[in-house]
Amino acid sequence: MSVLRKAKAEAKAEEKVEKELAKARVEVAHEVRLAKEAEAEMDLHVARAGMIAENEMAMYANNPPTSFVPSDAAAAAAAANISMASGLTMDGTPCTIYMAGTPASKKLL
């Protein structure tokens, strides 16, 4: 009798281990499927972005957009309205300020 119970217990334990392994394989397969779906969705978005970029480049290939360049008078008027603290100077490039006493290579933005 004890031999029979021992054999049943071993078979039951082995079956439990196999079920756990099967459950783990199912979970892995599920995660792999989700990863593949996400990758395919990402590829679709990249392809769409590429098509949009190509359309934009084609649209501006013959008509490049014009950039705003202020006239000398407008630039002078804008510069006149800027109040500067003592010891600060502007060199003409936007957002570049030189502090009094600092070398020109150390620009503060």
Side-chain angles (χ1 to χ4, degrees), residues 13-96:
E14 188 176 321
E15 181 182 8
K16 185 177 179 180
V17 169
E18 287 177 8
K19 280 184 180 180
E20 289 174 0
L21 286 173
K23 186 185 275 188
R25 282 193 300 269
V26 167
E27 290 176 9
V28 168
H30 177 71
E31 292 299 322
V32 167
R33 180 183 60 83
L34 291 177
K36 285 181 180 179
E37 288 175 359
E39 186 178 5
E41 191 172 345
M42 184 181 67
D43 289 343
L44 178 65
H45 286 295
V46 169
R48 283 183 185 166
M51 288 180 4
I52 290 170
E54 286 178 9
N55 290 341
E56 289 293 317
M57 288 189 294
M59 207 165 64
Y60 292 112
N62 297 328
N63 289 351
T66 58
S67 60
F68 175 75
V69 178
S71 66
D72 291 335
N81 291 332
I82 298 174
S83 61
M84 300 294 290
S86 63
L88 298 177
T89 59
M90 290 185 66
D91 70 350
T93 58
C95 300
T96 304

